[in-house]
Amino acid sequence: MTQSPAPSPVDGVEPAARASGLTKLYGAGEAAVRALDHVSVDFLRGEFTAVMGPSGSGKSTLMHCLAALDTVTEGDVVIGGTSLAGMSDKALTTLRRDQVGFVFQSFNLVPTLTARENILLPLAIAGREPDETWYDTVITAVGLADRLDHRPAELSGGQQQRVASARALVSRPSIVFADEPTGNLDSVASAEVLSFLRRSVDEFDQTVVMVTHDPLAAAYTDRVIFLADGRVVDELRHPTSDSVLARMAAIQSEAMSAPPAAPEG
Amino acid sequence: MLRVTWRNLFARKLRLLLSAFAIVLGVAFVAGSLVFTDTIDRAFDDIVSGSVSDVTVRFDGATTDENGGLIPDARSMPASLVDELAAQPGVARADGTVEGVGLFVIDSDGKLVGGQGAPTLAFNYNDAPSITGEPAVTVVEGEEPQGRDEVLLDERTAENAGYEVGDTVRMVTAGTVPELEAELVGIAEFGGGGLAGASLVLFDTPTAQQIFLGGSDVFDSIALTAEPGVSQDGLAASAEQVLPDGIEAATGDVVAAETEELVGTVLDFLNIFLLIFAAVALVVGTFLIINTFSILVAQRSRELALLRALGASRRQVTRSVLLEALVIGVVGSTLGLVLGFGLAIALRTLFGNFGLDLSGTPLVFQWTTGAIGYAVGIVVTLIAAYLPARRASRIAPVAAMRDDIALPESSLRRRMIVGVALTLLGAGMMAAGLVGEGNTGASMVGIGVLGVLLGVALMSPVLGRPVLQGLGAAYRAVFGTVGTLARENTLRNPRRTAATASALMIGLALVTTMSVLGASINKSIEVAVQEEFTTDYLVSSPTFQPFSTGIAERIRDIDGVGEVVQQQSLGSEIDGDGSFINAADGGAVAEVYDIPVVTGTLDVRRGGIAVSEQKADSLGVAVGDTVTLTFPAGDQEAEVQGVYEQSNILNDALVPLSTLAAAQIPRQDSVVSVNAAEGTSPDELGTALDDVVADLPIVTVQNQEDFTEAQRASVNTLLYLIYALLGLAIVIAVLGIVNTLALSVIERTREVGLLRAVGLSRRQLRRMVRLEAIAIAVLGAVLGIVMGLVFGVVLQQALADQGITDLAVPIWQLVLFVVVAAVVGVLAAVLPARRAAKLDVLRAITTE
């Protein structure tokens, strides 16, 4: 199931997020590190995508750039039809608030606020009223209706991540980014969180991009993008944990045996 | 371990400086006070040793009242005694001294030189040496004064007054002739160096006798100089042989010791006054340090746990934290000592403006000042750091491996119990102190206040909750989510919020106490003046020095003047009890003033006395009893002829003017009250009075309004001085808020990052920090004002019989304090808020 890197968008469908020619340099001159090297990738609406790759492959950097958390050296990011190039910090803040949802590996919630307040935080910051039906739908789906008045410290790790996921979805963002959302969780809690993200794509037509290095987590997604040395090196549709594992092993050995792959076309 | 400590210190230079700043200010105040008072002490030592002769022949009996005020004494010794003493064996020379009291130089603009500050010393000029062997006074320019129309001044006085040799100097005296003019024939230099702002006026002996002693050839005292090889004691013994009863020979050492004791009393008072503010600054600083260390320890808990896991003992962890504190203490104390020196210079300038000119004396920096400064700074820092350090050692080693670490904290309940106990203890001390007398009472009140302040500070996490919740509700309503976040931040760590607010609370509690007391004093004055100030005009001296009775004589000559009542006030003892008495024509007093008489009459006859009700009670005397009055020249018996209600005009007692004559006290006026005659309007009289006193800057003419205003102004001046000194504590408290917020922001870096990531704008973030700061500041202000109100009311009640009869609460001023506190909060938040807003979102989220 070998595909060419840098998949092209499906004709006529506007992607939820698009990176084109994305390059990110850290440092300057001789010491510069090329974290991303002309990455172009589309994330389609209603799709659950995993970004995988060895440590240092640039997967987190890619996500941060896509999510308007980090600036790019070259290239452009488009989210929900808006180009991020040249946007002010204020505009980026507004875009994050209204168009992007986040789930981080840990420390996702404001400890002083209850679960409900945390879920409603982006809306409250924007001064918007939640869409009642949508809110109820998300709350029901996340399965924490009876824990909403608890503070993060009173919730389990899995519950906290589900609250974070609910928060990411409640403002109906164009796209949700999850950075190793199950990195700190046991298998049962991981399954809960991943099932919730899966449902949000299947039932609520959301778009989710998840960085992970766990093949089991990747198996929940529709599509896996593999990064190595700041480039997209492979892509896998309808992954299973075995196929992901095999592909990763292949990339790993390729990297060990040969110098970095030739630049993509 | 030592290396870890050093690394920590250098990694946190800014934080170190902020915490040290509290110590710097506290130590600076301690050192500044000590340096300043030591300098005054040195200046007066020089004056004393430069002016005291080997032996002084003087009348025995106290010449000062218990407050150090000079009691005028009209006794004199004949010139023949000088000759007799000069002939005694061992006496090298004997010089009669005339000491003039109540003389002032008027400068070329017609204003009084000196006045409220250092005194004017008028003497007969001679070249008698002091115990240093040098003449007490030397003429450095021009020549010695000779005759009625010649005078010498010291250089500084001549310069300040704008006189040069050859000019005509104008002077006012308290003697029968109110005014005097003489040519400045020379400039005198005082042997002891500087004069601490005092003015020196020298006449030749006959002129001095003419002005101060009614013209007879007599002296106030006689200075003896010993022949070589004769000791002071030997000289005194030799002199005693020819001295009549009532006159003693005091050695130079004795006189010097007496003077130094007197100066010491005043200096002690000044020292204590200044050190109280140093103590306030240090107590407030302690909160700042406790808080800083608590937060630092909390932030470093994982690191400390790692140290424990690597095998560091509890003691080593505690010690490493205490070592940090020690370094802060040493650095802070050193800077504080340097700043204290600057503060002493500032104090010298400040007091110079009030007439205490010390420019002739270099600042005295004794090693004890350094030792005390370091001891205070280091001990306070160590005490403040001890609790956080001990808590640090309780961190379990396993915490190093855990993600979220909660430091073990003592329960709020135990804190409450200790707080309540301290508050009650403090309140008890205050109550006991208020009932008690004198210095012990005052220091008990002080300790009690400190106890209550600390007790309430301990309870403040609980007491402050309703305030914070009330504010939080308002925040939520006005600022929505940002308000909620700010509210939750203030409630998240009640100890930290409360400790930060406590520093401000203490400062504001004291400011409020003073403002309530000040307002009450002003109101009491106003009420008393309205009740008692029943005459049209009051002539008095702004220097509180008695003035010549000649002024009253001139006033009587004005057309349209009605009653004129002359009063002379002086300190004395009634049956051994220190009292402030007034001598006046009692009948006239009763006529112009509306003073309710309890029993007997105010119109006391020769040998009689009327006393205030309070004094009568404390002495246990009633009309018909006989009391003993103590004067320098001897005791006088007096029959109690009347008891009157407490009065600011008559103070403790009223005696007829004839008593003064009997006690050989020179007749001078302290207050003259003047009424307009029928047919003359008070305004017309006022204009006429102003004309008469225009040439006599020693007195002012005031009607009821002027008088109240003048009293109020002097109360307010003192109040503003105290506010300024307490401002120091407020500055430290503000630094505390800055420090806490800055550390909180660092501590919550990830949270800030998260909030920014989910869409909180920089502006909203800054507002959140600002609201948190305002909440802390307002909490401190509200708690402080409530406490200050309680203190103020209690003190007013306790001092009601001391003249603070009416309570006044300056509500708008208190409201202003809260508003100012909120503004202070906004200012304190500027840097931490900017810092929070500057955090890079990505880095904040990924930070450890």
Side-chain angles (χ1 to χ4, degrees), chain B residues 173-435:
Chain B
T173 80
T176 42
V177 186
E179 279 173 290
L180 207 62
E181 283 188 354
E183 187 194 341
L184 182 65
V185 295
I187 299 295
E189 191 181 77
F190 182 67
L195 278 161
S199 301
L200 203 58
V201 182
L202 299 165
F203 302 96
D204 73 352
T205 302
T207 308
Q209 287 169 333
Q210 182 70 42
I211 298 171
F212 302 111
L213 295 170
S216 2
D217 191 11
V218 292
F219 294 98
D220 289 303
S221 61
I222 298 166
L224 299 184
T225 308
E227 278 177 351
V230 177
S231 70
Q232 289 186 1
D233 288 329
L235 182 65
S238 170
E240 288 284 1
Q241 290 169 352
V242 295
L243 292 183
D245 276 354
I247 298 183
E248 63 172 5
T251 62
D253 291 345
V254 169
V255 175
E258 283 172 4
T259 315
E260 269 156 30
E261 194 183 334
L262 202 65
V263 173
T265 317
V266 178
L267 285 187
D268 281 351
F269 177 78
L270 190 64
N271 227 337
I272 288 169
F273 182 77
L274 291 173
L275 288 178
I276 282 173
F277 293 99
V280 171
L282 283 169
V283 167
V284 173
T286 308
F287 279 90
L288 174 52
I289 295 168
I290 292 181
N291 233 9
T292 309
F293 270 88
S294 300
I295 300 171
L296 289 182
V297 165
Q299 283 178 356
R300 278 168 43 201
S301 47
R302 193 187 302 218
E303 177 192 324
L304 294 169
L306 183 66
L307 288 174
R308 293 274 285 126
L310 295 178
S313 71
R314 277 187 169 201
R315 276 217 0 230
Q316 279 174 309
V317 170
T318 308
R319 217 184 296 153
S320 98
V321 174
L322 282 181
L323 199 61
E324 274 193 59
L326 182 71
V327 174
I328 289 181
V330 170
V331 171
S333 305
T334 309
L335 293 176
L337 285 172
V338 174
L339 190 65
F341 211 72
L343 197 67
I345 295 174
L347 279 172
R348 189 167 67 171
T349 313
L350 180 75
F351 277 77
N353 288 339
F354 288 118
L356 183 65
D357 185 351
L358 295 173
S359 49
T361 314
L363 287 179
V364 178
F365 192 87
Q366 289 184 336
W367 70 268
T368 45
T369 303
I372 292 171
Y374 274 113
V376 165
I378 292 169
V379 167
V380 165
T381 320
L382 286 182
I383 289 175
Y386 178 69
L387 286 179
R390 217 180 50 161
R391 199 179 318 146
S393 74
R394 291 217 200 100
I395 298 168
V398 67
M401 270 63 89
R402 281 215 302 265
D403 206 20
D404 49 338
I405 304 168
L407 274 180
E409 298 224 10
S410 61
S411 76
L412 274 180
R413 202 162 127 205
R414 211 176 74 194
R415 226 178 135 118
M416 271 303 275
I417 294 170
V418 177
V420 169
L422 248 178
T423 307
L424 290 178
L425 210 69
M429 288 277 282
M430 272 178 74
L434 288 173
V435 177

Side-chain angles (χ1 to χ4, degrees), chain B residues 771-794:
Chain B
L771 287 176
E772 190 179 343
I774 293 174
I776 295 175
V778 169
L779 170 66
V782 168
L783 288 181
I785 285 171
V786 169
M787 263 208 300
L789 269 176
V790 173
F791 288 158
V793 172
V794 167

Side-chain angles (χ1 to χ4, degrees), chain A residues 26 64 69-70 89-90 93-94 96-97 102 104 106-113 117-118 121-126 151 167 184, chain B residues 403 476 481-482 484-485 487-489 492 748 750-764 840-842 845-846:
Chain A
Y26 287 114
H64 290 147
L69 286 170
D70 206 349
D89 177 76
K90 207 172 160 185
T93 302
T94 314
R96 278 201 303 269
R97 194 181 70 197
F102 291 100
F104 298 108
S106 63
F107 206 83
N108 254 308
L109 306 176
V110 178
T112 50
L113 301 180
E117 286 169 328
N118 264 296
L121 189 59
L123 291 176
I125 290 173
R151 298 215 175 175
R167 183 197 59 210
N184 284 348
Chain B
D403 206 20
R476 178 170 229 157
T481 304
V482 175
T484 310
L485 286 168
R487 181 188 86 131
E488 293 302 328
N489 282 341
R492 145 179 358 205
R748 295 185 211 142
R750 287 184 78 171
E751 192 181 319
V752 168
L754 174 70
L755 286 168
R756 292 275 290 129
V758 298
L760 197 71
S761 70
R762 289 208 159 108
R763 230 177 106 178
Q764 286 172 311
D840 182 76
V841 182
L842 191 57
I845 301 172
T846 49

Side-chain angles (χ1 to χ4, degrees), chain A residues 206-245:
Chain A
Q206 294 294 302
T207 311
V208 178
V209 177
M210 171 176 75
V211 167
T212 183
H213 54 239
D214 177 6
L216 284 170
Y220 280 81
T221 62
D222 301 315
R223 170 191 180 210
V224 180
I225 293 185
F226 293 96
L227 255 69
D229 299 313
R231 287 177 223 169
V232 177
V233 291
D234 209 346
E235 184 181 332
L236 191 62
R237 285 214 165 262
H238 313 296
T240 64
S241 58
D242 289 338
S243 64
V244 170
L245 212 56

Side-chain angles (χ1 to χ4, degrees), chain B residues 16-78:
Chain B
L16 176 98
L17 274 179
L18 272 174
S19 327
F21 195 73
I23 293 299
V24 171
L25 283 182
V27 170
F29 234 59
V30 171
S33 312
L34 291 175
V35 167
F36 180 61
T37 45
D38 282 345
T39 304
I40 300 181
D41 208 18
R42 166 76 59 83
F44 279 90
D45 273 358
D46 288 349
I47 291 175
V48 168
S49 61
S51 60
V52 170
S53 56
D54 290 342
V55 163
T56 304
V57 173
R58 61 181 187 185
F59 290 99
D60 52 17
T63 52
T64 51
D65 62 32
E66 58 182 9
N67 296 321
L70 217 58
I71 300 174
D73 189 349
R75 291 176 294 174
S76 56
M77 33 192 94

Side-chain angles (χ1 to χ4, degrees), chain B residues 562-582:
Chain B
E563 299 102 333
V564 175
V565 181
Q566 292 166 262
Q567 263 178 273
Q568 181 167 1
S569 320
L570 64 159
S572 174
E573 287 178 6
I574 305 177
D575 283 354
D577 184 17
S579 307
F580 199 56
I581 67 174
N582 270 278

